Amino acid sequence: MALPVLVLAVRWVMMIMGSDPRAVGLSAEPIDYTINYLGLWAIRFLILSLAITPLRTWARWSWLAPLRRPLGLWAFACALLHLSVYFLLDQLGSFSLLWESVAKHPFILLGMAAFTLLLPLALTSTRGAIRRIGARRWQALHRLVYLAAIFTAIHFILRVKGFQPEPWIYAGVAAVLLLVRALPTAWVRRA
Amino acid sequence: GLPRLPSRLTRRLDEDQTSYDSVTHYNNFYEFGTGKEDPARNAGRLRTRPWTVRVEGLVSKPQTIDIDRLIRLAPLEERVYRMRCVEGWSMVIPWVGFPLNALLKMVEPLGKAKFVAFETLKDQRQMPGQRSSVLQWPYVEGLRLDEAMHPLTLLAVGLYGRALPNQNGAPIRLVVPWKYGFKSIKSIVRIRLVDRQPPTSWNISAPQEYGFYSNVNPTVDHPRWSQARERRIGDWLPRATLPYNGYGAEVSQLYRGMNLKRYF
């Protein structure tokens, strides 16, 4: 799971040591490339983490269960890096510029809202936290991920110019994974 | 390599030029794909000879001009211009070309002509990106006649002293340096003088985001991002975007009295 971030880190090290960004796979515009890359991996990990529970219930692949937490945490890590690069290198590390972008542009607001929703989930991802909060309340809290996924999918749709299928495919997969949860478990098992 | 195009340097710019590699491998040319490096990969299929440009509409001398004759229509100039993409990145490019007004004067616009409409080639076999419906094809653009006649408005046939690479709009493209890059239509096959404002591709696709004028304006944001800053390709940090991309002294009189927030 660390591979995408590791690949990116190696490319950045090579660029900082003097290699041409395009030659190391960061395109002629490495900052834009990096922001897009991290955002794409954040939504991929998020969708994969959302796929675990339906696959457990439906396909009875219970061996997938231990993957859910690391997938969620990698989604958060990519989102955090995505936001950090945007904040430091696009918004010049200025909170007032960032605030202005959030306030003026729904596209940025949705991304920021998704990140904000993931933050408490990442902070309460330990066994200790589950014990302290109580399993029932912990589960209720972690349902925020559904909203985060919806915001992330719309944020991605708003990212591109013209009609491009890629973000709609991600949104479609996310929608299926959320809708399947609305089906009664017994019904899904019989099907 | 691409043929050399001897030209006279008529416009310099005291800013670092973007590398040839970046200018030719970071392109928005959706006819060849939506990825930035797709055009460099896929534009090899475009056949730029034979090639003709049809100039027609409200002119007294409509004609179809072969590209090799068109290139010799006026003395070739090298002009170093800034190029600001609506997405928020910019380049500095040494173009080779001649002013569009040289061509327009030759065909003699009629008094009724108020706008100029441009059209890119439409051919799915040569332009595989046209199989996708990301935009309506062919790509179309337009200028007001006075914008088209402005001495800064260039028909470019080369860059860095050589013929245009296909991914940069070979064999002939428009360059309007005070407007966002998408106004500078590539691989032109038709130029039509008309009496009404012509439709333009990005305006058809998202009218609330891309206006007909699309002059570079740091005070009018794109709905999804700020236009106050831009990242020059090769730089770490963004810089301030200049009104009219730094060409205000020469072009702002074209828009005197206009509400630039309304006519964005």
Side-chain angles (χ1 to χ4, degrees):
Chain A
M1 278 181 224
L3 196 62
V5 173
L6 219 60
V7 166
L8 186 69
V10 168
R11 288 172 172 176
W12 267 76
V13 168
M14 286 163 80
M15 175 175 68
I16 289 166
M17 280 164 52
S19 295
D20 176 68
R22 203 170 76 77
V24 298
L26 291 170
S27 93
E29 230 282 55
I31 293 150
D32 197 56
Y33 177 90
T34 300
I35 295 172
N36 291 338
Y37 178 95
L38 290 166
L40 190 60
W41 278 102
I43 191 169
R44 283 176 180 165
F45 281 129
L46 197 58
I47 283 175
L48 287 173
S49 76
L50 284 169
I52 302 294
T53 302
L55 286 172
R56 275 176 70 191
T57 337
W58 202 15
R60 309 207 181 177
W61 290 353
S62 48
W63 55 272
L64 284 173
L67 293 178
R68 193 172 70 165
R69 175 161 47 188
L71 283 169
L73 284 171
W74 277 107
F76 175 75
C78 289
L80 176 66
L81 288 168
H82 169 74
L83 172 61
S84 305
V85 178
Y86 171 73
F87 174 61
L88 293 173
L89 294 176
D90 193 277
Q91 303 290 293
L92 300 162
S94 152
F95 284 103
S96 66
L97 280 183
L98 183 68
W99 174 248
E100 197 185 307
S101 298
V102 169
K104 274 167 98 173
H105 306 290
F107 160 55
I108 306 295
L109 173 67
L110 281 163
M112 193 60 89
F115 175 78
T116 310
L117 290 171
L118 290 180
L119 186 64
L121 309 197
L123 294 175
T124 58
S125 63
T126 58
R127 275 179 206 284
I130 300 175
R131 221 177 308 115
R132 273 197 307 280
I133 302 170
R136 192 172 290 252
R137 275 161 62 201
W138 184 89
Q139 199 174 25
L141 173 70
H142 278 245
R143 290 213 168 102
L144 286 177
V145 73
Y146 306 155
L147 200 56
I150 293 168
F151 288 172
T152 306
I154 303 171
H155 174 69
F156 188 21
I157 288 168
L158 289 177
R159 172 67 188 85
V160 301
K161 284 166 47 201
F163 177 73
Q164 298 190 33
E166 191 187 5
W168 289 96
I169 294 168
Y170 281 87
V173 173
V176 167
L177 292 174
L178 295 184
L179 288 172
V180 81
R181 288 170 155 81
L183 301 175
T185 313
W187 188 87
V188 173
R189 281 208 166 139
R190 229 179 296 129
Chain B
L2 294 158
R4 278 185 193 286
L5 292 176
S7 62
R8 193 166 59 90
L9 177 64
T10 56
R11 191 168 179 111
R12 45 185 94 240
L13 182 65
D14 193 21
E15 290 172 25
D16 288 342
Q17 291 178 15
T18 307
S19 74
Y20 184 80
D21 187 69
S22 291
V23 172
T24 56
H25 290 84
Y26 198 78
N27 307 108
N28 279 330
F29 197 172
Y30 283 11
E31 280 81 346
F32 298 106
T34 52
K36 292 289 187 286
E37 298 196 11
D38 288 348
R41 252 193 307 276
N42 301 330
R45 297 197 202 184
L46 179 67
R47 296 275 79 91
T48 58
R49 294 293 186 285
W51 187 283
T52 57
V53 178
R54 174 86 188 144
V55 191
E56 60 185 10
L58 301 171
V59 295
S60 39
K61 294 178 175 170
Q63 50 197 288
T64 301
I65 310 171
D66 182 77
I67 187 64
D68 291 306
R69 189 162 79 85
L70 188 53
I71 289 173
R72 290 189 299 268
L73 182 83
L76 290 182
E77 301 174 31
E78 178 165 79
R79 298 191 185 184
V80 186
Y81 281 163
R82 294 182 202 92
M83 212 280 296
R84 167 65 155 82
C85 178
V86 74
E87 295 168 347
W89 51 269
S90 64
M91 294 183 177
V92 173
I93 305 172
W95 299 106
V96 178
F98 57 87
L100 172 63
N101 63 34
L103 172 63
L104 295 180
K105 282 174 193 157
M106 186 180 81
V107 297
E108 296 175 9
L110 301 174
K112 283 177 293 180
K114 295 285 179 280
F115 292 88
V116 186
F118 303 85
E119 203 176 293
T120 296
L121 178 71
K122 184 183 178 194
D123 183 348
Q124 286 192 359
R125 281 165 307 164
Q126 296 188 63
M127 297 180 146
Q130 290 180 340
R131 286 186 204 125
S132 122
S133 50
V134 60
L135 287 171
Q136 281 180 26
W137 312 111
Y139 194 90
V140 288
E141 257 306 337
L143 295 172
R144 227 168 50 192
L145 185 58
D146 57 348
E147 297 176 321
M149 295 298 288
H150 193 282
L152 278 175
T153 304
L154 196 69
L155 275 175
V157 295
L159 56 84
Y160 271 104
R162 290 180 181 273
L164 281 177
N166 288 356
Q167 63 265 36
N168 293 87
I172 190 161
R173 64 169 293 169
L174 189 68
V175 178
V176 194
W178 71 92
K179 293 176 179 283
Y180 293 117
F182 67 85
K183 293 293 291 183
S184 294
I185 184 170
K186 302 183 180 93
S187 305
I188 299 168
V189 293
R190 198 155 79 110
I191 299 175
R192 205 159 33 91
L193 282 91
V194 293
D195 57 355
R196 291 210 192 111
Q197 182 177 304
T200 58
S201 285
W202 279 105
N203 182 252
I204 297 168
S205 162
Q208 69 290 356
E209 301 192 355
Y210 311 102
F212 174 79
Y213 285 94
S214 288
N215 294 317
V216 175
N217 189 341
T219 66
V220 176
D221 277 2
H222 187 280
R224 288 179 274 151
W225 53 81
S226 166
Q227 295 293 28
R229 291 172 305 283
E230 67 198 52
R231 183 172 291 105
R232 184 65 51 84
I233 298 294
D235 283 0
W236 287 100
L237 292 176
R239 63 178 69 201
T241 287
L242 303 171
Y244 299 106
N245 205 20
Y247 300 96
E250 290 150 282
V251 302
S252 62
Q253 92 282 350
L254 293 170
Y255 311 102
R256 193 175 296 143
M258 275 174 65
N259 178 346
L260 299 176
K261 288 201 158 60
R262 186 179 144 94
Y263 297 100
F264 61 95

